[in-house]
């Protein structure tokens, strides 16, 4: 299977990096755009016919473009040279997905009946009572008919060679398919065929008119507006050709690693307009889009872009805004600026062939940005916190004596293995701490003895160095590796120099990034630091929490804390947090059942009980690195901990674990995912 190595759970998977083509049991994602698998069928291409298909950058991007159009149920027209692999790519994707293919070539000899069907002599006729002729569907009609879970793709090759009457007939088909209507078969006594755009995908393929394709005629721009028109290269670039040949001869991996910015993650369902319009910045970006659309039209009208393209097209005043809206409904995952920019690149820039022309539009797109007012964002956050929960924490008595005495006493009770203090932190990260900056240990002797019986670990967490440098995820790993590099190699029996502590950006012998960390594409997560202070935490995943979704794992953490930490009754702060959780639990489960993971993850991560009892991923990374220095490996054997107090931009809760020779993983997964390697750890500050 020509797909990057990935790790699967029972209900989802976590990836060492963003996987270019990621396959689940029921779906496949092409650079993040996820499509459901079809029901198969006799007209599905065979996978073995595409073993030589090389997933080089150009072809990965082409598959993503096709997947994006299919995700939005848009008819797609791709214009490009004969040998660039348009038809092969579509068929290969159908083989992957189990979609049936209904192919027709619209050369000058093709007529409407070749597409829609005709009456043919009845070869099975046994007597005069049986009809002399019977109806046979053409490829278009056959592709339109629904059959259970089957998904069918109609390929219209050489579309710009078709006769005008064929184009007119296909327009009728497209119009009915757009509204999930009925196609009337005038060719067969006006039979009405019910059509569904989620079950039938139409893709037209053309060569550029002129430019060596003298029998190809330009399409009327008024016809072209019905299609999601994507302009591809007339011939492959030297880099694409060279990379594909290297893959063919086994000199490069069969799938190219792609940077984070190439990915586009889709939602399971469209975001309703009512929700979309409430997103901060939407109104402002709509106004900027209006200006961009008019500017693009002016550039096109004045031939300042697309001057050398023989196929004329328009930026249609009705269709382009509708398509942009649909794109945002399908692909908004928390970053409003990113999804707008990707939408405009897809529908506007991708109609251009010349790189200089593309750059003119990209410069305008780069200036389209919404910056949230700091004041309004702060007030919004305060409004979301219930008043009772924002009350002060009950004051508790900690260890007596000086800080040095507290550290000595705690270490004696817990044992060296279960205590991470100032010396361990200094030896891991290579800096000297100022004792005046270290907080007092807030736990009593009785509490420490209780946690010792549970096998918990006491950790001193820092959020910055003594010089004020923030300990972000990548900074923690970098500092730890700089200090412990020699030990890392010594601990590996093979002396493998490619052993890592954390899966961050990794480089080849030429200094080029050969793989990127998932979190590097998450602007907010990459900037976060550990929650500072002393923390008790279970070193490993709690067994009752495995194979459960996020809500059930919170319930495990609550029961664990109430029974073990607080003698069966929560203090005020925890009791109020439990009350908030119970009031929102049903709403969160409803959102999860509707696959609204952005909303459900956000609600879970903002719960006060999540903040009180679940360990932040940054803290898990901190103690993982320091524990490694102490000779203790955490989160091995494919195990992951889920943090209920951190959400990713694409609607997942944060995961950490699976420590191996390529480093432990930071990632995100849906809050309803539940599998045997995923659990939670208890945390108490």
């Amino acid at each position: 299977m020509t797909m990057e190595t990935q790790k699967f759970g029972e209900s989802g998977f976590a990836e060492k990096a963003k996987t270019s083509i990621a396959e689940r049991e029921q779906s496949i994602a092409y650079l993040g755009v996820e499509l459901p698998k079809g029901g198969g069928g006799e007209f599905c291409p065979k996978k073995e016919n595409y073993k030589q298909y090389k997933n080089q950058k150009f072809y990965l991007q082409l598959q993503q473009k096709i997947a994006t159009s299919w995700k939005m149920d848009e008819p797609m027209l791709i214009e490009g040279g004969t040998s660039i692999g348009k038809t092969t790519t579509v068929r290969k994707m159908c083989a992957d997905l189990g979609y049936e293919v209904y192919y027709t070539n619209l050369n000058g000899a093709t007529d409407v009946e070749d597409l829609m069907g005709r009456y043919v002599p009845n070869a099975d006729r046994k007597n005069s009572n049986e009809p002399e002729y019977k109806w046979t569907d053409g490829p278009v009609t056959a592709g339109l008919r629904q059959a259970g879970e089957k998904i069918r793709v109609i390929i219209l090759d050489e579309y710009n060679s078709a006769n005008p009457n064929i184009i007119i007939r296909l327009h009728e088909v497209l119009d009915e398919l757009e509204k999930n209507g009925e196609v009337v078969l005038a060719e067969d006594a006006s039979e009405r065929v019910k059509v569904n755009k989620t079950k039938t995908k139409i893709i037209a393929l053309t060569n550029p008119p002129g430019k060596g394709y003298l029998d190809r005629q330009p399409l009327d721009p008024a016809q072209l507006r019905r299609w999601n028109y994507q302009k591809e290269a007339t011939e492959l670039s030297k880099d694409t050709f060279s990379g594909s040949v290297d893959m063919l001869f086994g000199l490069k991996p069969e799938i190219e690693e792609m940077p984070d910015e190439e990915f586009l993650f889709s939602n399971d369902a469209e975001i309703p307009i009512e929700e979309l319009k409430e997103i901060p910045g939407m109104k402002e970006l709509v106004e900027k889009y209006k200006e961009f659309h008019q500017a693009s039209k002016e550039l096109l009208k004045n031939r300042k872009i697309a001057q050398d393209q023989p196929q004329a097209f328009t930026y249609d005043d009705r269709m382009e805004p509708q398509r942009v809206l649909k794109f945002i409904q399908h692909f908004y995952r928390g970053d409003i600026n990113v999804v707008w920019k990707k939408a405009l690149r897809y529908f506007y820039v991708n109609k251009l062939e010349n790189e200089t022309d593309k750059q003119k539009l990209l410069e305008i797109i780069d200036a389209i940005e919404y910056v949230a007012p700091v004041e309004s964002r702060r007030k919004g956050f305060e409004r979301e916190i219930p008043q009772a929960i924002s009350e002060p924490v009950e004051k508790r008595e900690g260890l007596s004596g000086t800080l040095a005495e507290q550290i000595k006493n705690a270490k004696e009770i817990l044992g060296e293995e279960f205590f991470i203090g100032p010396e361990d932190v200094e030896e891991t990260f290579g800096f000297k701490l100022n004792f005046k900056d270290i907080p007092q240990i807030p736990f009593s002797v009785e509490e420490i003895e209780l946690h010792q019986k549970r096998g918990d670990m006491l950790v001193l967490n820092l959020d910055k160095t003594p010089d004020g440098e923030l300990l972000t995820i990548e900074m923690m790993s970098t500092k730890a590796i700089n200090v412990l590099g020699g030990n890392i190699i010594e601990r590996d029996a093979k002396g493998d120099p490619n052993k890592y502590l954390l899966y961050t950006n990794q480089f080849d012998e030429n200094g080029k990034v050969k793989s990127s960390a998932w979190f590097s594409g998450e602007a907010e997560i990459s900037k976060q630091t550990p929650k500072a202070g002393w923390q008790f935490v279970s070193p490993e995943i709690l067994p009752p929490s495995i194979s459960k979704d996020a809500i059930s794992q919170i319930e495990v953490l609550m029961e664990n804390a109430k029974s073990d930490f607080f003698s069966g009754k929560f203090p005020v702060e925890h009791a109020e947090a439990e009350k908030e959780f119970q009031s929102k639990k049903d709403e969160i489960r409803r959102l999860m059942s509707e696959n609204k993971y952005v909303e459900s993850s956000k609600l879970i991560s903002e719960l006060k009980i999540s903040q009180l009892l679940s360990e932040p991923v940054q803290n898990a990374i901190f103690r993982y690195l320091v524990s490694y220095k102490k000779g203790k490996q955490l989160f091995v054997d494919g195990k992951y901990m889920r943090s209920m107090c951190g959400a990713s931009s694409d609607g997942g809760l944060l995961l950490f674990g699976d420590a191996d020779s390529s480093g432990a993983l930071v990632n995100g997964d849906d809050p309803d995912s539940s599998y045997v390697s995923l659990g939670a750890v208890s945390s108490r500050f």
Side-chain angles (χ1 to χ4, degrees), residues 76 142 314 423 516 572 613 631 639 670:
M76 186 180 195
T314 62
E423 290 182 3
S516 299
V572 173
L613 300 181
K639 294 178 181 177
D670 300 337

Side-chain angles (χ1 to χ4, degrees), residues 5-9 11-19 24 518 638 640 655-658 665-669 673 675 677-678:
T5 302
Q6 48 204 281
K7 303 196 174 181
F8 292 81
S11 301
F13 58 87
E15 302 156 60
K16 278 290 185 186
K18 288 187 173 70
T19 307
R24 294 189 180 189
W518 170 87
Y640 297 88
L655 311 180
F656 176 71
D658 194 20
L665 167 76
V666 186
N667 207 332
D669 204 355
S673 293
Y675 40 93
S677 59
L678 176 62

Side-chain angles (χ1 to χ4, degrees), residues 270-286 325 328-329 332 336 340 370 599:
E270 290 185 15
I271 300 173
I273 292 288
E274 293 73 21
E275 295 180 22
L276 207 64
K277 68 182 182 181
E278 298 300 326
I279 297 173
M282 185 62 71
K283 181 179 179 181
E284 291 82 353
L285 288 172
V286 167
L325 169 61
I328 293 171
Q329 288 179 294
Y332 171 69
I336 192 67
W340 268 98
Y370 169 70
E599 297 90 338

